[in-house]
Amino acid sequence: MDAVVKTLSARVDAHDAGEKTIIRPSREEAEAAVRTLIAYAGDDPDREGLKETPKRVAKAYRELFGGYEEDAGAVLAKVFEDVEVYGDMVLVRDIPFHSHCEHHMVPFHGSAHIAYFPSKGVVGLSKLARVVDVFAKRLQTQETMTQQIADAIDDALRPRGIAILIEAEHMCMSMRGVRKAGASTVTTVFTGVFREEPAEQARFFTQVRLGK
């Protein structure tokens, strides 16, 4: 009976991923999966140092992938329209983030730089950093994450232009495979003014590099 209750509880804990509803397994099922992976790696999950590891990993996953439980639209919902008089570029640079590659489930980390030209107001500066975390705390590709951040800002603010630049090092390239530590990947998205006016795009790059 307890097993049935646990299964039903797990079925309630679900979220949408695109058009498909993802059913989250129970904590016990997650811990069992970690035990399997430990054994697959070649170690003993019952060894003293590893006995509590499945619990710790299951708990850490809820934090590392907390972005699935957050809505970028809600984060950006509060717009300060009384600042409508300001129409020049707003830039928040050097936003640190950590994410996990969806191909190998190993980390990649770096910095995001976000700029936009307001049209009907501005959003709190900390909200831009939070939006980065919403998408970073999911299984990701850097390319997709860059576009998702731009789309979320566009949906919420309808600015005259958006510029996103993300620089990151991927552990799937540094720790395994070609093992080229220190190599960085750069992705960009430009919309509106930043895409149509090369001078504004150049100004964005200049402002970002001023902090280096």
Side-chain angles (χ1 to χ4, degrees):
M1 186 63 169
D2 289 343
V4 174
V5 172
K6 289 176 181 177
T7 301
L8 289 175
S9 298
R11 297 300 175 262
V12 173
D13 191 2
H15 68 273
D16 290 329
E19 298 180 355
K20 183 178 180 181
T21 299
I22 305 299
I23 304 300
R24 176 169 280 155
S26 68
R27 189 192 67 190
E28 290 82 1
E29 290 172 317
E31 291 176 10
V34 176
R35 285 177 57 85
T36 298
L37 288 174
I38 291 173
Y40 182 71
D43 213 322
D44 177 10
D46 291 320
R47 182 167 61 79
E48 181 63 31
L50 293 172
K51 280 185 177 180
E52 299 299 315
T53 295
K55 290 182 180 179
R56 288 190 288 261
V57 172
K59 181 179 179 181
Y61 260 45
R62 295 304 291 258
E63 178 180 353
L64 294 172
F65 300 108
Y68 288 115
E69 300 177 5
E70 295 191 75
D71 177 13
V75 170
L76 296 169
K78 177 63 176 178
V79 178
F80 298 101
E81 296 184 357
D82 56 341
V83 194
E84 187 174 355
V85 65
Y86 183 83
D88 203 356
M89 178 170 56
V90 176
L91 167 66
V92 179
R93 66 189 180 200
D94 299 318
I95 302 170
F97 73 88
H98 295 81
S99 189
H100 284 75
C101 167
E102 67 180 34
H103 298 142
H104 299 96
M105 293 183 69
V106 294
F108 67 95
H109 64 94
S111 298
H113 314 278
I114 301 174
Y116 69 96
F117 276 93
S119 61
K120 295 183 178 180
V122 300
V123 71
L125 300 179
S126 67
K127 305 303 183 185
L128 297 178
R130 283 191 60 193
V131 166
V132 172
D133 276 346
V134 167
F135 294 112
K137 291 184 175 182
R138 302 179 183 185
L139 292 172
Q140 277 289 12
T141 67
Q142 184 176 330
E143 297 87 343
T144 299
M145 187 175 79
T146 308
Q147 188 64 58
Q148 287 174 334
I149 294 169
D151 290 343
I153 294 171
D154 189 51
D155 288 343
L157 299 180
R158 296 299 178 189
R160 291 183 291 118
I162 300 169
I164 312 285
L165 187 154
I166 294 181
E167 306 169 279
E169 180 176 359
H170 292 247
M171 296 300 102
C172 59
M173 184 176 176
S174 301
M175 296 172 59
R176 57 162 300 282
V178 295
R179 297 179 183 175
K180 299 300 181 184
S184 60
T185 299
V186 178
T187 51
T188 58
V189 170
F190 299 104
T191 72
V193 174
F194 288 106
R195 183 172 56 197
E196 297 162 3
E197 299 184 20
E200 294 300 345
Q201 194 174 124
R203 186 158 73 105
F204 167 72
F205 282 122
T206 299
Q207 291 294 325
V208 167
R209 296 306 172 194
L210 281 177
K212 302 299 181 182

